[in-house]
Amino acid sequence: MTLPIRAIAALSLAAGVSGVALRVADPMLPRLAQDFGTSLGQVAQVVTAFAVAYGLAQLVFGPLGDRFGKFRVIAWACGASGLTSLACALAPGLGGLTAARLAAGATAAAVIPLSMAWIGDVVPYAQRQPVLARFLIGQITGMALGMWLGGFAAEHLDWRTPFLALAAAFGLLALGLVQVQRRVPAAGARPPARRRRGRGCGPSSAPCWPCPGRAWCWPRCSSRARPCSAPSRSWPRTCTSASASRWPPRVG
């Protein structure tokens, strides 16, 4: 199988920018406290809001990725992260910055978990670990770069500058991911697992699995249990059309 190199590189870049967004505010806390005229404990809410939203929003993006496609949702989340990062840069005060960072954490939460899930969907198992390692290089590099960028901005730049840079980076990534998406397989489009018995999914070929204490089984590809054709202890057994016609089985 040919690996989608461009897609994996784009996802690694997205994970890196997401890592920057995760860590960029940490070293800027003393500068924020000075500019807003408040205590360090008060401005720490900027970091807490992002972290809480980042953790909780992952519960939502899983079903969204399954419904609309993981790669597509990642692109949408990057576009939304660009807008929330811009809102951080334009925040008039500490309350506005905290609210914008809360929204930024929610939008950035989709990138890394959905990217790893998408890689698991489209990359064969034998190649998956090296691909995940290369992907995680982007995330780790982004987190380190975020700490450096926040510290540099706190000493030499305005605190809004890193958020403007994040808004531009997320916007460019969203456009790039939309373009790359047209050339990559859909999430979850792996071929079905090869059956150990039979060629179809009807009562003549469905593999059976045991139901403890009963004389029938539950085929993997059927919506109802059917009796097994052979009283053997080896599994899987095969549900035949003859045995299926005896439904429901008599017990006792």
Side-chain angles (χ1 to χ4, degrees):
M1 175 183 175
T2 302
L3 293 178
I5 301 298
R6 291 183 180 179
I8 295 170
L11 292 178
S12 183
L13 287 174
V17 178
S18 177
V20 173
L22 179 65
R23 293 299 184 188
V24 70
D26 297 5
M28 291 199 299
L29 292 181
R31 174 67 180 273
L32 293 174
Q34 178 182 354
D35 289 356
F36 290 129
T38 185
S39 66
L40 191 62
Q42 289 293 325
V43 296
Q45 297 175 5
V46 172
V47 176
T48 303
F50 187 98
V52 171
Y54 189 90
L56 294 178
Q58 295 185 23
L59 301 175
V60 178
F61 282 115
L64 287 178
D66 293 336
R67 174 64 179 85
F68 298 103
K70 298 179 179 66
F71 208 96
R72 180 179 290 108
V73 173
I74 294 169
W76 293 348
C78 285
S81 295
L83 296 177
T84 55
S85 297
L86 182 61
C88 292
L90 300 178
L94 180 59
L97 179 59
T98 303
R101 285 290 287 174
L102 183 72
T107 54
V111 177
I112 293 175
L114 285 186
S115 295
M116 297 180 70
W118 183 87
I119 290 172
D121 285 342
V122 302
V123 178
Y125 181 78
Q127 301 171 282
R128 195 174 302 161
Q129 293 302 320
V131 171
L132 284 174
R134 297 186 187 100
F135 165 78
L136 290 174
I137 289 175
Q139 176 189 357
I140 297 170
T141 303
M143 295 175 68
L145 182 61
M147 297 291 290
W148 174 84
L149 179 61
F152 184 83
E155 290 292 332
H156 305 287
L157 303 173
D158 186 76
W159 65 266
R160 303 176 190 272
T161 304
F163 297 116
L164 290 172
L166 281 172
F170 273 123
L172 292 175
L173 274 171
L175 294 176
L177 287 170
V178 170
Q179 294 298 320
V180 173
Q181 180 193 351
R182 302 173 182 176
R183 301 180 178 89
V184 298
R190 289 184 299 174
R194 182 177 299 176
R195 297 191 179 279
R196 296 168 65 180
R197 281 193 180 186
R199 298 182 180 178
C201 197
S204 62
S205 60
C208 295
W209 302 97
C211 296
R214 298 180 180 270
W216 58 91
C217 62
W218 194 282
R220 285 188 295 178
C221 57
S222 174
S223 60
R224 59 187 297 186
R226 298 184 185 278
C228 284
S229 57
S232 171
R233 293 183 178 274
S234 61
W235 304 95
R237 303 175 184 174
T238 301
C239 296
T240 64
S241 56
S243 61
S245 63
R246 296 196 299 267
W247 179 267
R250 289 181 293 180
V251 183

